[in-house]
mmCIF file of all heavy atoms in Angstrom:
data_model
loop_
_atom_site.group_PDB
_atom_site.id
_atom_site.type_symbol
_atom_site.label_atom_id
_atom_site.label_comp_id
_atom_site.label_asym_id
_atom_site.label_seq_id
_atom_site.Cartn_x
_atom_site.Cartn_y
_atom_site.Cartn_z
ATOM 1 N N SER A 68 95.671 94.015 84.238
ATOM 2 C CA SER A 68 95.375 92.624 83.874
ATOM 3 C C SER A 68 96.470 91.991 83.031
ATOM 4 O O SER A 68 96.673 90.771 83.072
ATOM 5 C CB SER A 68 94.048 92.553 83.115
ATOM 6 O OG SER A 68 92.988 93.024 83.919
ATOM 7 N N HIS A 69 97.208 92.805 82.270
ATOM 8 C CA HIS A 69 98.183 92.241 81.328
ATOM 9 C C HIS A 69 99.500 91.857 81.995
ATOM 10 O O HIS A 69 100.264 91.071 81.431
ATOM 11 C CB HIS A 69 98.464 93.236 80.204
ATOM 12 C CG HIS A 69 99.178 94.480 80.651
ATOM 13 N ND1 HIS A 69 98.510 95.552 81.217
ATOM 14 C CD2 HIS A 69 100.498 94.815 80.645
ATOM 15 C CE1 HIS A 69 99.390 96.491 81.520
ATOM 16 N NE2 HIS A 69 100.596 96.072 81.193
ATOM 17 N N LEU A 70 99.797 92.386 83.177
ATOM 18 C CA LEU A 70 101.094 92.117 83.806
ATOM 19 C C LEU A 70 101.117 90.722 84.433
ATOM 20 O O LEU A 70 100.286 90.390 85.268
ATOM 21 C CB LEU A 70 101.395 93.164 84.874
ATOM 22 C CG LEU A 70 102.134 94.433 84.434
ATOM 23 C CD1 LEU A 70 102.416 95.318 85.625
ATOM 24 C CD2 LEU A 70 103.419 94.104 83.694
ATOM 25 N N LYS A 71 102.091 89.917 84.025
ATOM 26 C CA LYS A 71 102.227 88.544 84.497
ATOM 27 C C LYS A 71 103.611 88.347 85.112
ATOM 28 O O LYS A 71 104.521 89.154 84.930
ATOM 29 C CB LYS A 71 102.030 87.552 83.347
ATOM 30 C CG LYS A 71 100.751 87.750 82.543
ATOM 31 C CD LYS A 71 99.506 87.476 83.374
ATOM 32 C CE LYS A 71 98.244 87.609 82.516
ATOM 33 N NZ LYS A 71 97.009 87.439 83.312
ATOM 34 N N LEU A 72 103.777 87.232 85.799
ATOM 35 C CA LEU A 72 105.069 86.906 86.401
ATOM 36 C C LEU A 72 106.160 86.844 85.338
ATOM 37 O O LEU A 72 107.306 87.258 85.569
ATOM 38 C CB LEU A 72 104.977 85.564 87.139
ATOM 39 C CG LEU A 72 106.157 85.195 88.045
ATOM 40 C CD1 LEU A 72 106.334 86.210 89.171
ATOM 41 C CD2 LEU A 72 105.963 83.796 88.620
ATOM 42 N N SER A 73 105.801 86.370 84.149
ATOM 43 C CA SER A 73 106.766 86.229 83.060
ATOM 44 C C SER A 73 107.290 87.566 82.541
ATOM 45 O O SER A 73 108.275 87.604 81.793
ATOM 46 C CB SER A 73 106.149 85.443 81.908
ATOM 47 O OG SER A 73 104.967 86.078 81.449
ATOM 48 N N ASP A 74 106.652 88.677 82.918
ATOM 49 C CA ASP A 74 107.111 89.996 82.498
ATOM 50 C C ASP A 74 108.294 90.487 83.333
ATOM 51 O O ASP A 74 108.902 91.510 83.009
ATOM 52 C CB ASP A 74 105.975 91.025 82.601
ATOM 53 C CG ASP A 74 104.858 90.747 81.615
ATOM 54 O OD1 ASP A 74 105.171 90.493 80.437
ATOM 55 O OD2 ASP A 74 103.683 90.764 82.019
ATOM 56 N N PHE A 75 108.615 89.782 84.405
ATOM 57 C CA PHE A 75 109.677 90.221 85.312
ATOM 58 C C PHE A 75 110.888 89.293 85.232
ATOM 59 O O PHE A 75 110.761 88.098 84.968
ATOM 60 C CB PHE A 75 109.133 90.286 86.737
ATOM 61 C CG PHE A 75 108.033 91.294 86.898
ATOM 62 C CD1 PHE A 75 106.697 90.920 86.786
ATOM 63 C CD2 PHE A 75 108.332 92.632 87.127
ATOM 64 C CE1 PHE A 75 105.686 91.862 86.905
ATOM 65 C CE2 PHE A 75 107.321 93.577 87.244
ATOM 66 C CZ PHE A 75 105.996 93.194 87.139
ATOM 67 N N LYS A 76 112.053 89.877 85.482
ATOM 68 C CA LYS A 76 113.314 89.136 85.381
ATOM 69 C C LYS A 76 114.120 89.144 86.677
ATOM 70 O O LYS A 76 115.114 88.414 86.783
ATOM 71 C CB LYS A 76 114.168 89.728 84.244
ATOM 72 C CG LYS A 76 113.477 89.770 82.885
ATOM 73 C CD LYS A 76 113.075 88.379 82.416
ATOM 74 C CE LYS A 76 112.381 88.442 81.055
ATOM 75 N NZ LYS A 76 111.872 87.111 80.638
ATOM 76 N N LEU A 77 113.725 89.963 87.646
ATOM 77 C CA LEU A 77 114.472 90.064 88.904
ATOM 78 C C LEU A 77 113.505 90.264 90.061
ATOM 79 O O LEU A 77 112.550 91.043 89.951
ATOM 80 C CB LEU A 77 115.449 91.247 88.860
ATOM 81 C CG LEU A 77 116.215 91.544 90.166
ATOM 82 C CD1 LEU A 77 117.212 90.432 90.483
ATOM 83 C CD2 LEU A 77 116.932 92.893 90.087
ATOM 84 N N LEU A 78 113.752 89.559 91.156
ATOM 85 C CA LEU A 78 113.049 89.788 92.413
ATOM 86 C C LEU A 78 114.077 90.282 93.425
ATOM 87 O O LEU A 78 115.029 89.565 93.750
ATOM 88 C CB LEU A 78 112.399 88.505 92.933
ATOM 89 C CG LEU A 78 111.831 88.581 94.358
ATOM 90 C CD1 LEU A 78 110.643 89.534 94.422
ATOM 91 C CD2 LEU A 78 111.433 87.193 94.868
ATOM 92 N N ALA A 79 113.906 91.508 93.900
ATOM 93 C CA ALA A 79 114.791 92.083 94.910
ATOM 94 C C ALA A 79 114.033 92.153 96.235
ATOM 95 O O ALA A 79 112.925 92.683 96.287
ATOM 96 C CB ALA A 79 115.252 93.477 94.498
ATOM 97 N N MET A 80 114.649 91.604 97.275
ATOM 98 C CA MET A 80 113.982 91.509 98.577
ATOM 99 C C MET A 80 114.814 92.141 99.682
ATOM 100 O O MET A 80 116.030 91.939 99.753
ATOM 101 C CB MET A 80 113.763 90.029 98.945
ATOM 102 C CG MET A 80 112.955 89.236 97.963
ATOM 103 S SD MET A 80 113.163 87.441 98.233
ATOM 104 C CE MET A 80 114.815 87.198 97.525
#
Side-chain angles (χ1 to χ4, degrees):
S68 299
H69 67 278
L70 271 183
K71 308 294 183 184
L72 191 61
S73 57
D74 293 313
F75 297 94
K76 304 300 180 185
L77 175 68
L78 170 67
M80 302 164 284

